[in-house]
Amino acid sequence: MPHPSYEYAVGRISVFSRRMLTAAQLRRIAEATDVTEALALLLETGYGGNLTPAQVVHTEIDYVIRAQLQMSRKMVWELTPDPDLTSLFLLEVDTHNIKTFLKARLMGIEAPDVLIEGGVFPLDFLKDCVYNKKYDKLPDAYRIAMNKIEIDLQRSIDPLLFSAQIDCAMFKHIKSVLDKREEEGFVREYFTLMADFQNARSVIRSRMLNWNSDKLRPMLLDCGEIDHSVFIEGMDTPLEQLGAKLNRGPNGKLISQTIEEYVATGNVPILKRRMETALMNVLRAVKWDVSTLGPIIGYLMGREAEAKALRIIFGAKRAGFEIELPELYA
Amino acid sequence: MLSLGTALAFAGAAVAAGFAGSGSALGVGIAGQAGSGVVSEDPDKFGNVLVLQALPGTQGIYGLLIAFIIVLNIGVIDGNIKDLTTAQGWALFFAGLPIGIAGFFSGIYQGKVCAAGIYLCAKRPEETGKGIIMAAMVETYAVLALLISFIMVNGVKL
């Protein structure tokens, strides 16, 4: 089947993006008196698609969010003119599903509620791979990582390590696709920034947990601009100098500023927040670049950001504490 | 047997209609794809989308107009084709170039601006007029090319 053109895809996305939640709508939901009112306000906006009130009454907000996300991913997958590059943004879903299947297999349970539809690979296919330990049909990076995990599992079970190995496989695969395509646009910029930021966060986390460099090494992701050796050396660098140490490559300045902000305030979540803002800014810069995947990926990741924001709002509402409204794409 | 001059005049008409028409076809195609995407989700926008999609079609009409004047002047319509000198033929050939070239490029770029206008119309229907104005700015250069082609064609004494 021929893929739709950019013009057609962006035309449809333009209509869909009108249905995304605005900051004002999100604020109204956050200001609702209780969860029921917040849910009603959310459904009024059309969020979640064609869910009937009967379906929603007996369900969790997460059901609504997942329904919306699945619809968005499916729609983007159907209309993207460049499935290769688009698939990179959906790999997080597959990575989550592989981890879930593996954990479920090891624990001898089924975990259908935790699985997410809308990845690159069908759930049945991934289940078949993990339960039969046959990874030949997965991309090379995943196949190698999963076969290694299976061997490691015969000795010991370290959920943190195998989770990190699967994440590393995802970024290895992304890098191989980007290199093969000689992609130098916003897609590379996005994943490079993400890998560098995640690696910087891993250094901070490792230092907080008093890990040594050997424990950090498997956590470091490929695809970044900053060499892994810099992060390893960062483990022994005084915290005040860590920002300057990581100030390398096009993303270095941003990462350095974020780490200095963290050192000054001691606020750990700021690392993630600054990363999300920076990634969103990459997508915003190509929002109107209609002959690229920019608007399409922007819509997809905007929906993901919206879902995160809703989870935070509803979680805070249930727990009864105030939150700062998360950032949106729109 | 046609003279070289007459053949060159034919080539001028072909360039004017062919290139300008191709630019329009590409431009209308680009805008049409964007329009189909929008209308597939929001059929109520068809009216606005149609206006924006039609705009890049004018270059083809301008090209046809110049080509028609050229073939009319050399007597193709009434069946008495004139024997033109080589200089007259070159003059008519060059007269067809401005609308041919400007029509081709402006058609494509107007199509892109119209596609952007269609996205604007999908997101903010109340701003459709601005999308049309921006697309019309590209039209200016096709009109200028039409004008100079017209003056040149009429300047050739046969």
Side-chain angles (χ1 to χ4, degrees):
Chain A
M1 193 183 83
H3 295 295
S5 66
Y6 281 104
E7 288 80 9
Y8 175 80
V10 177
R12 284 187 70 182
I13 288 289
S14 303
V15 179
F16 287 128
S17 56
R18 284 192 74 195
R19 299 169 194 160
M20 287 172 79
L21 294 177
T22 62
Q25 285 172 320
L26 211 59
R27 200 171 306 114
R28 269 218 310 279
I29 293 167
E31 286 166 2
T33 48
D34 54 27
V35 175
T36 315
E37 191 192 331
L39 189 60
L41 282 169
L42 177 65
L43 292 176
E44 254 176 39
T45 67
Y47 190 89
N50 300 320
L51 288 171
T52 62
Q55 276 176 301
V56 177
V57 167
H58 301 291
T59 191
E60 291 281 315
I61 175 65
D62 205 52
Y63 178 78
V64 182
I65 294 173
R66 286 172 63 159
Q68 178 61 59
L69 278 180
Q70 280 173 22
M71 264 194 305
S72 306
R73 290 187 194 120
K74 191 166 171 269
M75 189 269 294
V76 165
W77 189 240
E78 274 172 9
L79 60 77
T80 179
D82 190 339
D84 275 359
L85 288 185
T86 307
S87 70
L88 304 183
F89 292 87
L90 297 170
L91 276 178
E92 223 168 321
V93 174
D94 296 299
T95 303
H96 165 86
N97 289 334
I98 291 173
K99 287 180 191 176
T100 306
F101 277 128
L102 191 57
K103 285 175 191 168
R105 191 191 86 196
L106 293 171
M107 293 168 78
I109 57 167
E110 296 281 329
D113 293 343
V114 192
L115 295 166
I116 308 174
E117 291 270 6
V120 180
F121 304 106
L123 284 174
D124 288 343
F125 167 76
L126 290 181
K127 187 177 183 182
D128 189 50
C129 287
V130 175
Y131 278 75
N132 295 317
K133 302 178 189 175
K134 285 186 178 170
Y135 303 107
D136 297 345
K137 288 180 185 164
L138 286 177
D140 282 352
Y142 280 98
R143 181 177 51 76
I144 294 165
M146 293 308 294
N147 284 332
K148 186 174 180 304
I149 288 169
E150 292 296 347
I151 293 167
D152 291 347
L153 283 175
Q154 290 169 4
R155 289 197 303 268
S156 64
I157 296 176
D158 183 348
L160 183 68
L161 185 63
F162 79 60
S163 176
Q165 283 172 317
I166 299 172
D167 286 336
C168 286
M170 179 176 93
F171 275 85
K172 265 199 179 79
H173 175 64
I174 289 170
K175 187 175 184 312
S176 74
V177 172
L178 294 177
D179 289 347
K180 195 173 156 193
R181 292 278 306 258
E182 296 178 358
E183 160 67 26
E184 294 300 332
F186 82 95
V187 181
R188 185 179 287 276
E189 192 185 343
Y190 183 89
F191 286 109
T192 302
L193 181 66
M194 190 190 252
D196 281 339
F197 245 112
Q198 291 285 28
N199 288 341
R201 289 177 65 206
S202 293
V203 173
I204 301 279
R205 200 182 306 125
S206 303
R207 293 175 67 123
M208 290 173 82
L209 294 168
N210 291 321
W211 287 356
N212 58 26
S213 304
D214 291 339
K215 202 150 183 195
L216 169 69
R217 200 166 278 119
M219 309 286 160
L220 296 175
L221 306 170
D222 278 352
C223 202
E225 291 278 350
I226 305 173
D227 198 78
H228 285 188
S229 62
V230 179
F231 294 107
I232 300 289
E233 286 163 22
M235 290 292 283
D236 301 320
T237 307
L239 201 54
E240 295 72 27
Q241 293 168 21
L242 186 60
K245 174 93 187 159
L246 299 181
N247 191 354
R248 307 199 181 185
N251 306 320
K253 192 175 172 194
L254 193 61
I255 291 171
S256 168
Q257 283 172 348
T258 305
I259 290 178
E260 279 161 15
E261 198 177 345
Y262 156 71
V263 173
T265 60
N267 184 359
V268 181
I270 206 148
L271 298 167
K272 190 173 184 207
R273 194 159 179 138
R274 291 281 177 269
M275 179 182 80
E276 285 172 350
T277 304
L279 291 173
M280 204 54 94
N281 285 340
V282 172
L283 297 178
R284 283 196 190 110
V286 288
K287 191 176 182 179
W288 294 106
D289 206 346
V290 295
S291 55
T292 69
L293 277 179
I296 300 165
I297 300 301
Y299 172 77
L300 177 69
M301 302 318 279
R303 281 293 197 189
E304 301 276 355
E306 187 184 76
K308 256 182 221 166
L310 285 173
R311 285 194 175 110
I312 292 171
I313 288 171
F314 277 86
K317 210 152 264 311
R318 280 208 188 89
F321 57 80
E322 294 288 318
I323 46 128
E324 193 183 335
L325 275 182
E327 200 163 353
L328 290 179
Y329 168 72
Chain B
M1 174 107 177
L2 289 178
S3 67
L4 176 63
T6 308
L8 284 169
F10 269 107
V15 164
F19 279 91
S22 301
S24 275
L26 290 168
V28 171
I30 291 167
Q33 290 174 68
S36 300
V38 171
V39 172
S40 68
E41 294 301 329
D42 190 353
D44 294 343
K45 299 260 166 26
F46 180 68
N48 289 343
V49 164
L50 190 65
V51 173
L52 280 158
Q53 195 207 342
L55 276 178
T58 50
Q59 282 83 349
I61 298 170
Y62 300 158
L64 178 72
L65 180 66
I66 293 300
F68 192 77
I69 295 172
I70 291 173
V71 295
L72 188 69
N73 285 357
I74 63 174
V76 174
I77 306 290
D78 58 16
N80 296 316
I81 300 175
K82 292 174 185 166
D83 248 352
L84 305 189
T85 65
T86 307
Q88 286 172 325
W90 276 119
L92 285 174
F93 176 78
F94 284 116
L97 282 183
I99 189 60
I101 296 169
F104 181 75
F105 288 107
S106 69
I108 295 170
Y109 283 96
Q110 194 172 38
K112 290 182 178 181
V113 178
C114 285
I118 288 168
Y119 306 142
L120 174 68
C121 154
K123 286 189 178 180
R124 296 182 186 173
E126 69 280 5
E127 305 289 358
T128 305
K130 289 175 186 166
I132 294 172
I133 290 168
M134 284 185 265
M137 300 298 284
V138 186
E139 187 80 13
T140 312
Y141 303 96
V143 173
L144 295 179
L146 169 69
L147 188 64
I148 199 67
S149 281
F150 187 75
I151 292 169
M152 285 164 80
V153 169
N154 283 326
V156 180
K157 302 291 175 208
L158 303 178

